Amino acid sequence: MRKVGLAALLVASFWTGDSSAKETSWIGVGADFLMDQSDAATDAEPVFGGGYGLRAPVRIGLSPNVWLRANLELMAASGQDRVEWSEDTVRFFSDEHWTFFSGAGLSVGPELGIGKSDKWRPYWGASMGATLLQTWHSFDTKSAVLLASDENDPNNPNNIDPWTQQWVPRAGVYGGLTLLSIGNLALDAEAGYTISFVGEQDLRKTPDHLEAVRASFGLNVIRAGLAVSMPLGKEVKQ
């Protein structure tokens, strides 16, 4: 009976909103600092130390303290990845070249607010989605053989070196605090953790006989940032 009572109390705390009117839908814009973490399962090093993200969170109110949240996101970071290729049946690799990561994605999931205050509200949520991820490279002399195709000009400083693009599934959790008493706006301070697996991908603009690929890696990204939101839609009174 105690477990049932505790569960009912938790549900009630999520479902209970302000006794006055409260907007139930929000749209906003925010910025995050990103940091990749080492992979505990494989002991692999992070592919980037730090990066930046932009996001546009949209909350669709299902009740005063329950939302369906969607995030449109952009990310950018620099670091290193691993590329592999073959020469005369011998497999070579490079993992010291410069790499730039860019991506655009969409994630969706439930979000729950906690408490009744009309000035601030803690919240937490979970999401799943996908990111269209690109890896851009600047290869050194060790991997110059990768540039030996008609699509590259090693003497051109503006040459775009071999790169990859692919869809990457992702899942994450997050939590934060919303300050609701800033005029008609709300300020979110939020932190989250997202995991995704980036599978092996063929390197574009490389000679076919090299069988060049960018090796697979995992992303375990911690993010922290701020977002400003404005209310949309009708008010819900209790």
Side-chain angles (χ1 to χ4, degrees), residues 152-161:
N152 295 297
D153 182 1
N155 297 318
N156 182 355
N158 296 318
N159 183 70
I160 298 177
D161 287 4

Side-chain angles (χ1 to χ4, degrees), residues 7-221:
L9 180 62
L10 289 174
V11 171
S13 70
F14 293 143
W15 211 265
T16 301
D18 184 7
S19 58
S20 61
K22 184 181 292 291
E23 301 285 350
T24 59
S25 296
W26 300 79
I27 186 171
V29 61
D32 293 310
F33 176 74
L34 313 174
M35 181 171 290
D36 187 32
Q37 305 297 299
S38 59
D39 192 326
T42 63
D43 203 30
E45 292 296 319
V47 295
F48 65 83
Y52 299 94
L54 295 175
R55 56 187 163 91
V58 179
R59 295 177 169 101
I60 305 301
L62 304 179
S63 86
N65 256 4
V66 180
W67 294 266
L68 177 66
R69 173 166 158 176
N71 284 310
L72 293 172
E73 299 165 317
L74 300 174
M75 64 84 66
S78 61
Q80 289 83 37
D81 61 6
R82 177 185 172 108
V83 299
E84 302 174 357
W85 68 94
S86 296
E87 295 182 60
D88 298 326
T89 71
V90 178
R91 200 68 175 161
F92 293 86
F93 74 91
S94 171
D95 59 4
E96 297 178 352
H97 53 270
W98 179 83
T99 304
F100 183 78
F101 303 86
S102 63
L106 172 67
S107 60
V108 180
E111 182 176 290
L112 302 175
I114 305 172
K116 302 179 181 180
S117 175
D118 59 357
K119 295 183 178 181
W120 57 272
R121 178 181 60 237
Y123 63 89
W124 65 275
S127 65
M128 297 186 69
T131 298
L132 183 60
L133 180 71
Q134 299 88 24
T135 60
W136 311 92
H137 305 97
S138 179
F139 292 118
D140 52 23
T141 55
K142 176 182 177 181
S143 48
V145 65
L146 296 172
L147 303 177
S149 83
D150 295 337
E151 299 180 76
N152 295 297
D153 182 1
N155 297 318
N156 182 355
N158 296 318
N159 183 70
I160 298 177
D161 287 4
W163 59 288
T164 68
Q165 177 174 269
Q166 68 198 109
W167 284 101
V168 178
R170 49 175 292 180
V173 294
Y174 62 90
L177 179 68
T178 298
L179 300 179
L180 297 165
S181 55
I182 309 176
N184 198 39
L185 301 175
L187 177 66
D188 295 334
E190 184 174 298
Y193 176 66
T194 302
I195 59 172
S196 53
F197 177 75
V198 184
E200 181 180 278
Q201 187 74 7
D202 292 342
L203 271 175
R204 303 186 182 196
K205 299 179 64 180
T206 57
D208 293 340
H209 70 275
L210 295 179
E211 299 179 341
V213 299
R214 192 226 55 241
S216 61
F217 59 89
L219 285 176
N220 304 272
V221 178

